[in-house]
Amino acid sequence: MTLAPPRPGARVKVRGVIGEPAPREDAVPKVKGEFQYASDLWREGMLHGATLRSPYPFARIRKVDVSAAAKLPGVRAVLTQDDVPGKKTYGLMDRDDQPVLADGYVRFVGEPVAVVAADTIEQARAATKAIVLEYEVLEPTFDPIAAIQPSAAKLHPKGNVLERVRILHGDPAAKADVVVEGEYEFAMQDQAALGPEAGLAIPREDGGVTLHVATQWLHEDLDQLAPCLGLPESKVRIVLSGVGGAFGAREDTSIQIHACLLALKTRRAVRMTYGREESFFGHVHRHPARLFYAHGATKKGELVFVRATIVLDGGAYASSSSAVVANAGSFAAGPYRVPNAVVDCVGARTNNPPTGAMRGFGAVQSCFAYEAQMDKLAKACGLDAVEIRMRNGLVEGDAIITSQPLVGSAPIAEIVRRCASLPLPETAAHRDQSELPGGHANVTRGEGVVRGVGYAVGFKNVCYSNGFDDFATARVRLFADAEGPLARVHTAAAEVGQGINTVQLQIARTELGIERVELETADTNVGSAGSSSASRQTWMTGHAVLQACREVRQELVRRAEREGLTLDRTDLADLLDRPIEKTVTYRHQDTEKRRPDGQSRGHVAFMFAAHRAVVDVDVETGLVKVVQVATAQDVGKAINPLGVIGQIEGGIAQGVGLAVMEELIVEKGRIRNASFTDYLIPTILDMPPVIADVIEHPHPDGPYGAKGVGEAPTISSTAAVVAAIRAATNRDLERVPVRPDDIVFGTSSRSGWRIAPGDDPRRAVRG
Amino acid sequence: MTRITVTVNGAREETAVEAHESLLTTLRERLGLPGSKNACEQGECGSCSVLLDDVLVCACLVLAASVDGREVRTVESLADGSALDPVQRAFVETGAVQCGFCTPGLVVATHALLRENPEPSLAEIREALSGNLCRCTGYGQIVEAVQRAAKTMYLHGLDDE
Ligand code: FES
Ligand code: FES
């Protein structure tokens, strides 16, 4: 029996239900400074952990001597690879190619080699400097295309090809009247969450350990941690601490294993917190990419084929490269009807810093290239940017290049049209110097300023794909206390700032028809919720909470019937002499595993957004001011409209950042700008006003029709801003972020590799 | 170590500090006030904003030894028990808080702005908060929060007359 949710107003009006703009449940402690983040954790007598990292991109460790370090004042433990009691390597989702501490080799600058626990952080840091290491420096490889050639030196026993995905759709030899080509470069972006990596590990009486940590995925941390510690999972508990933003960077572990090793060794609580510089070395980044594209169309601008070769730089270790590569390939042609496609997408191992998850996850890289291509095609066919996208946009029932048909989405043409019809900003008046590109730093009078407008559309999967067993568990307990009925919801969903906690509360209030709902702290004492990534928590944990609440309600109905009562007219407390507790594990519909030709129904659902950017570019100085971003996004159902707007605006900020300022500069494997002074993220002055049209076209399988929200805003906003700069400057701008030099001099960013789009990049030719 | 006496949120505190120690470290690690956040320790993010003798500063850039005899107010002092002040309330209501790591600094900076300039223009708000990074919100709802706070404080001021 399925039950409809209680009609609001049936008994008393319940506030904070779905569809209402609901303030976050944790906003009050946050504005008061009382919310405890992982870096605020503190315990009497705790020790402080510090990490010694590799100064070389590739080297063999000849000798390690920790004896002098161990004798320094306050030092309680100095650990290297030999001290790891269990499995020596770890990695996301069984990738397992990364040493807990360097295993005789170091493969990137910043790789952890040893960890120290001491009474104070200063003592711990001093001890890392006293560790004696002898390295034999090896020849590193930084160019991802070079790394995957058959002749390349092997950087890791598992080889240099982290993943390869080939997609063959329709006729690989299809011909078209109009063909446009391009090579694109995508630099390294960082998640740059404000809260640093941090946690507190506390040893337990039973030989186990409890870890309080800022993470995105408690149970995946547990899966990786326990074997390395040599403990059964029952002896490791992981508790979610306050998380200061994540954006993918916390999908991999950082301090987790190290802090637990130190705590178990010293039998003392150990806190580890990275400073800002170490944070840049201590988490994965977004994959840089090289993309080689050819698009073919009829003279009317109808797509005939897309061919693409994409090489993503995975850095020294696998992390989530495999799934990023799969996404970049899957979405390589964009949300368009493409009858014929050949895509070859490879993730390369190099001696650059490891890359992994970041908001948009593979879809952002290809979107930048395919949207540039669509504009080229529009020009070649004499169409404008809106027209070409409306003409080719997918509608329900159309298939993407993996032959998976689209379900439960507004037509792309409608999303584009609604985005294009949002009001444009006033034409530039430049009354004030601060409104010029570059603001007060612009010493001109604005004579070189040109306005440009650009469009882009993007899409991506919601939830995990390609046969992954994706599930989420929720436990809901309803009971009565002196004040009446109260529900407690327990899940392991990581609230990282995105707002899943409020969504869970809203769903429980809606389903149970009561206002008093509380959340238990997320931890591993309840089943997994999966990761707070892939825009999946509202769908997955949302469904789990919804179904657990419905089971609780069914029990209420049974109890009411036994008493001869009608639920709607009964005080719930009268039915709750015993609490009701239900635990539900939700699984989304099965997805198909990848096939060799890339043709499979690998995804659960898709989300879509269109962006229009308006920029002012000073073509003489190369400075850019983003004047406005407009967006239309299909969210299915806005469970919390306040949160939806926050996700949209915040995601666009990261897209704008990538378009014009955000780049981790890596030279010879070393990050050169590991600080907020040098890695620039948008300030309030850099962010334009955002106007958003939130489309609610329900998905039949989403909770209340909701799809994910968080990633779509980052996917095409970057491409839209760059398109706008192209419109203002007439430059090709085949690289992102766009630098002043690219605008003023039209600097080329070609790789020097010759690869025909669609060809295997493992057989590339130089020149 | 140097001993300092400093008034923090109205209470006199005496503590020993290292010569190189920042006010932020003293607040967070010695005085049990972790509300001011450490996101860069370089004066770039504003997460550590506090009022030093009523002037907005980045606590990570102030030497603890230099605040001897002075007065510090942190985010922890703004609410009156469970009652939020208008700035805090506006941040909650407009959705200006996501992960919230930037929030204490922004709330303190907004206070500093509205005390100087009770009716700031959009440009003035943007200028005043340009030293506070937020990675989550894109700032739209933060601007709204400041405008709403300015409005309630202004109306509240009229009530008092
Ligand atoms: S921590 Fe002080 S400005 Fe960033
Ligand atoms: S809310 Fe996360 S940094 Fe501002």
Side-chain angles (χ1 to χ4, degrees), chain A residues 58 105-107 138-141 146-161 316 349-351:
Chain A
F58 195 25
Y105 287 87
V106 287
R107 297 185 180 85
L138 303 171
E139 186 61 40
T141 306
I148 56 173
Q149 301 312 308
S151 57
K154 217 170 159 188
L155 306 177
H156 188 284
K158 293 192 173 177
N160 298 356
V161 175
R349 191 194 301 275
T350 62
N351 293 115

Side-chain angles (χ1 to χ4, degrees), chain A residues 21 44 240 566 711 757:
Chain A
E44 192 65 52
L240 187 68
T566 329
E711 289 174 289

Side-chain angles (χ1 to χ4, degrees), chain A residues 628-652:
Chain A
Q628 183 205 56
V629 176
T631 182
Q633 182 172 337
D634 180 7
V635 303
K637 164 79 190 167
I639 304 257
N640 182 2
L642 205 56
V644 166
I645 293 295
Q647 284 298 298
I648 290 177
E649 294 185 345
I652 288 173

